[in-house]
């Protein structure tokens, strides 16, 4: 990790930059994938799958036999862990259901909102660096609770043309039947406008690398909504003298191992603790099987010595991390000061991995500073809210004059008349 001491506030912007690939190449490449898939459909998907995933597939759809075979390959222990995580994710997301609340804004004027599921959704499950079967739960469970009718899942095939068995087990557990072995920007293109085998969806969910994330931005051009820009994982840890260096190092490494384009940030008011954490990172890194990836991610990463924990929180709000860990004394006392973060973990015993897998919160979160203006995925992401109103005779009498005056001031006389005819009718009734 690059080390910085007491940076000037004018340098914060450059310190908050994420590692980005050459955006121009990336955008050109993804745009051309979209064009090809739009024109050639499945034929283009086959070509890109061969090019980017190194396997030629004649048929992308995962068959029922493949699902049954895959389920046999998942150990009972892992199945039971997935079930435990699912229960917690379900509990937390069910708690997000809102009761219909009818508000009488003026006497006789009743307004309320009702949720309706988004019917056709696409779920992208990353599979490049690691087969993220946990993401199936994070997206499939709230989609079920919301009542989404048609769920299409896309995930890249491995070099043998298969999807990881645990992804298929998790998909089966949450009742997803339409599963396609297509990854990267070509999968997002297929979900955006459809091909011969993949049906267009109304909203695309799921994290992915920079190609997938950019492709999701393009999807917006085809009347498809997206959940959030959920790109390369990141974590920011604020540590003080009370933190345990081996714990903090393990949290930083847990996100560094996601990909070479991940970034982790350590902030502290203690140089001693920064040094101890760095020693721990070096020690734990040697023992990690995927240490080449984490090592590159650490080159993009920074440890920064600041004057106080309050200043560290100010920096964190400016950075807007996907995950924030407060490894500081009395962490609960600082929550009110956090203004920008995807998901926050308090104290020494709330590792970020808990949120990734099993505590119940959603791990699909905004990255790259988007925590300033996006929330993570929740039950709300799978529904639209429709407003309703019911105005009684008395209600229109009470609010009518207000509407007439405002409509007239906007010179929209037909609007005014829609109220006036009713008021006159009611006058004649009496
Ligand atoms: N923000 C979140 O909520 C969240 C959650 C989980 C994972 N993540 C992130 O998701 C990402 C997953 O990335 P991944 O790469 O492992 O899997 P991925 O499935 O997103 O990407 C793999 C696909 O990218 C395409 N690809 C690879 N190289 C390419 C190239 N040079 N040109 C065009 N396409 C190419 C291929 O089609 C491949 O199938 C990681 O960065 C991880 O940090 C984020
Ligand atoms: N940390 C990732 C979100 O940035 C989610 C994940 C899935 N599996 C492990 N981690
Ligand atoms: Zn993770």
């Amino acid at each position: 990790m690059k080390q910085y001491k007491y940076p000037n506030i004018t340098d914060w912007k450059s310190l908050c930059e994420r590692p980005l690939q050459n955006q121009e190449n990336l955008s050109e490449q993804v745009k051309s994938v979209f064009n090809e898939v739009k024109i050639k459909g499945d034929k283009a998907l086959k070509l890109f799958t061969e090019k980017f995933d190194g396997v030629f597939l004649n048929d992308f759809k995962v068959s029922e036999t493949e699902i049954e075979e895959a389920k046999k390959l998942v150990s009972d222990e892992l199945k039971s862990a997935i079930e435990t995580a699912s229960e917690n994710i379900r509990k937390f997301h069910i708690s997000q259901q809102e009761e219909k609340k009818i508000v009488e804004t003026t006497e006789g004027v009743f307004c309320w909102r009702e949720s309706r599921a988004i019917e056709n959704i696409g779920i992208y499950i990353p599979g490049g660096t690691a087969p993220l079967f946990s993401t199936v739960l994070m997206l499939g469970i709230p989609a079920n609770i919301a009542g989404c009718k048609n769920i299409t899942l896309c995930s890249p095939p491995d070099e043998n043309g298969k999807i990881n068995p645990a992804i298929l087990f998790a998909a089966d557990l949450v009742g997803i039947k339409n599963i396609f072995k297509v990854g990267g920007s070509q999968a997002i293109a297929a979900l955006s406008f459809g091909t011969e085998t993949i049906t267009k969806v109304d909203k695309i969910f799921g994290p992915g690398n920079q190609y997938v994330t950019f492709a999701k931005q393009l999807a917006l051009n085809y009347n498809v909504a997206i959940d959030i820009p959920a790109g390369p994982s990141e974590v920011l840890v604020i540590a003080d003298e009370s933190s345990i260096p081996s714990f903090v190092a393990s949290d930083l490494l847990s996100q560094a191992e996601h990909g070479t384009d991940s970034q982790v940030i350590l902030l502290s008011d203690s140089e001693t603790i920064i040094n101890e954490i760095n020693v721990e990172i070096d020690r734990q890194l040697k023992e990690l099987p995927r240490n080449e990836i984490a090592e590159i991610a650490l080159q993009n990463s920074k440890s920064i010595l600041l004057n106080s924990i309050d200043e560290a929180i100010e920096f964190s709000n400016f950075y807007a991390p996907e995950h924030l860990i407060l490894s500081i004394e009395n962490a609960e006392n600082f929550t009110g000061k956090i203004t920008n973060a995807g998901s926050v973990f308090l104290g020494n015993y709330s590792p970020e991995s808990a949120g990734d897998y099993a505590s119940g919160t959603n791990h699909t979160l905004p990255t790259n500073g988007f925590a300033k203006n996006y929330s993570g995925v929740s039950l709300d992401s799978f529904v639209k809210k429709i407003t309703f109103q019911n105005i009684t005779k008395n209600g229109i009498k009470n609010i009518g004059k207000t509407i007439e005056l405002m409509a007239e001031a906007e010179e929209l006389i037909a609007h005014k008349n829609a109220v006036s005819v009713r008021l006159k009718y009611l006058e004649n009734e009496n």
Side-chain angles (χ1 to χ4, degrees):
M1 287 210 286
K2 294 192 187 82
Q3 304 216 17
Y4 299 84
K5 284 185 193 174
Y6 308 115
N8 200 299
I9 198 156
T10 51
D11 296 326
W12 281 20
K13 193 163 179 262
S14 63
L15 285 172
C16 289
E17 274 165 14
R18 275 40 174 207
L20 274 186
Q21 295 179 354
N22 181 336
Q23 275 294 317
E24 211 173 296
N25 279 351
L26 183 128
S27 66
E28 282 318 308
Q29 194 186 325
V30 176
K31 280 179 191 160
S32 101
V33 167
F34 262 60
N35 281 340
E36 290 292 302
V37 175
K38 196 159 179 21
I39 297 164
K40 299 184 186 143
D42 283 350
K43 201 170 156 213
L45 293 184
K46 286 178 190 172
L47 287 173
F48 289 126
T49 304
E50 194 167 20
K51 183 172 174 190
F52 297 130
D53 299 305
V55 60
F56 181 80
L57 295 178
N58 243 328
D59 187 5
F60 301 110
K61 178 113 199 271
V62 175
S63 66
E64 274 181 34
T65 323
E66 276 177 285
I67 297 173
E68 289 314 310
E69 287 302 313
K71 278 158 65 181
K72 289 185 204 147
L73 298 173
V74 181
S75 70
D76 287 345
E77 209 180 11
L78 181 57
K79 280 180 181 156
S80 140
I82 292 174
E83 278 155 7
T84 303
S86 298
E87 276 166 33
N88 288 348
I89 296 164
R90 191 174 303 280
K91 269 186 215 158
F92 189 62
H93 288 79
I94 274 202
S95 79
Q96 294 161 15
Q97 278 173 329
E98 277 174 19
E99 296 238 323
K100 184 165 95 182
K101 203 165 65 190
I102 302 176
V103 180
E104 191 172 10
T105 55
T106 288
E107 210 185 320
V109 178
F110 299 92
C111 304
W112 70 97
R113 298 201 304 169
E114 291 183 26
S115 293
R116 296 288 184 275
I118 298 172
E119 283 182 16
N120 308 300
I121 65 160
I123 285 183
Y124 184 80
I125 303 300
T129 326
L132 299 189
F133 61 83
S134 50
T135 307
V136 180
L137 308 180
M138 296 294 172
L139 300 175
I141 292 172
N144 275 340
I145 297 170
C148 298
K149 268 194 200 146
N150 305 308
I151 308 178
T152 304
L153 186 156
C154 288
S155 189
D158 64 15
E159 64 281 7
N160 300 314
K162 294 205 180 311
I163 290 188
N164 182 282
I167 292 185
L168 297 183
F169 170 75
D172 190 62
L173 188 72
V174 298
I176 300 174
K177 302 264 177 270
N178 283 324
I179 306 172
F180 296 94
K181 297 175 225 173
V182 185
S185 50
Q186 57 276 21
I188 306 301
L191 293 168
S192 301
F193 32 74
T195 68
E196 298 88 327
T197 53
I198 299 181
T199 313
K200 174 185 167 65
V201 299
D202 299 321
K203 186 165 180 176
I204 300 174
F205 293 82
N209 61 16
Q210 296 189 351
Y211 299 98
V212 171
T213 309
F214 185 78
K216 279 169 65 187
Q217 311 276 6
L218 289 189
L220 295 168
N221 298 335
Y222 298 90
N223 272 0
V224 178
I226 60 161
D227 50 356
I228 43 170
S233 300
E234 49 191 46
V235 65
L236 184 152
V237 183
I238 301 180
D240 66 7
E241 294 270 352
S242 75
S243 71
I244 297 167
S246 60
F247 290 10
V248 176
S250 70
D251 290 327
L252 292 166
L253 286 171
S254 77
Q255 294 312 286
E257 80 171 343
H258 267 296
T260 53
D261 46 8
S262 278
Q263 185 182 70
V264 300
I265 304 282
L266 169 63
L267 306 180
S268 184
D269 58 351
S270 156
E271 192 163 10
T272 316
I273 210 82
I274 288 184
N275 291 338
E276 286 173 9
I277 292 167
N278 273 307
V279 169
E280 264 301 319
I281 289 177
D282 289 342
R283 192 187 65 75
Q284 293 183 21
L285 186 62
K286 288 196 192 92
E287 290 164 13
L288 275 185
R290 316 164 56 95
N291 59 11
E292 331 76 52
I293 295 174
E295 221 163 305
I296 298 173
L298 286 172
Q299 287 163 20
N300 305 322
S301 299
K302 295 152 199 169
S303 71
I304 307 173
L305 179 63
L306 292 163
N307 290 297
S308 64
I309 294 304
D310 275 337
E311 192 184 12
I313 291 193
E314 210 181 313
F315 184 97
S316 171
N317 285 332
F318 193 73
Y319 182 84
E322 179 194 13
H323 307 103
L324 167 62
I325 301 181
L326 292 185
S327 186
I328 53 179
E329 215 167 359
N330 301 322
E332 317 79 71
N333 296 345
F334 289 85
T335 55
K337 293 186 174 168
I338 298 159
T339 52
N340 299 316
S343 195
V344 184
F345 301 76
L346 303 179
N348 284 328
Y349 292 92
S350 307
E352 193 274 332
S353 303
D356 276 353
Y357 292 108
S359 55
T361 60
N362 207 291
H363 79 203
T364 315
L365 296 164
T367 57
N368 202 16
F370 279 109
K372 284 190 179 153
N373 39 17
Y374 280 91
S375 319
V377 165
S378 69
L379 187 61
D380 270 357
S381 316
F382 296 85
V383 298
K384 300 100 51 177
K385 306 270 171 89
I386 305 175
T387 55
F388 292 82
Q389 55 199 282
N390 190 1
I391 304 180
T392 62
K393 288 179 182 176
N394 202 27
I396 198 69
K397 279 187 202 158
N398 288 333
I399 204 178
K401 192 77 204 153
T402 303
I403 301 165
E404 284 181 322
L405 277 169
M406 291 175 78
E408 196 169 333
E410 283 192 351
E411 298 175 21
L412 295 174
I413 303 310
H415 285 64
K416 181 186 172 192
N417 284 345
V419 171
S420 309
V421 289
R422 288 174 169 84
L423 291 179
K424 274 202 192 90
Y425 184 87
L426 288 175
E427 261 172 41
N428 294 337
E429 216 181 41
N430 294 330

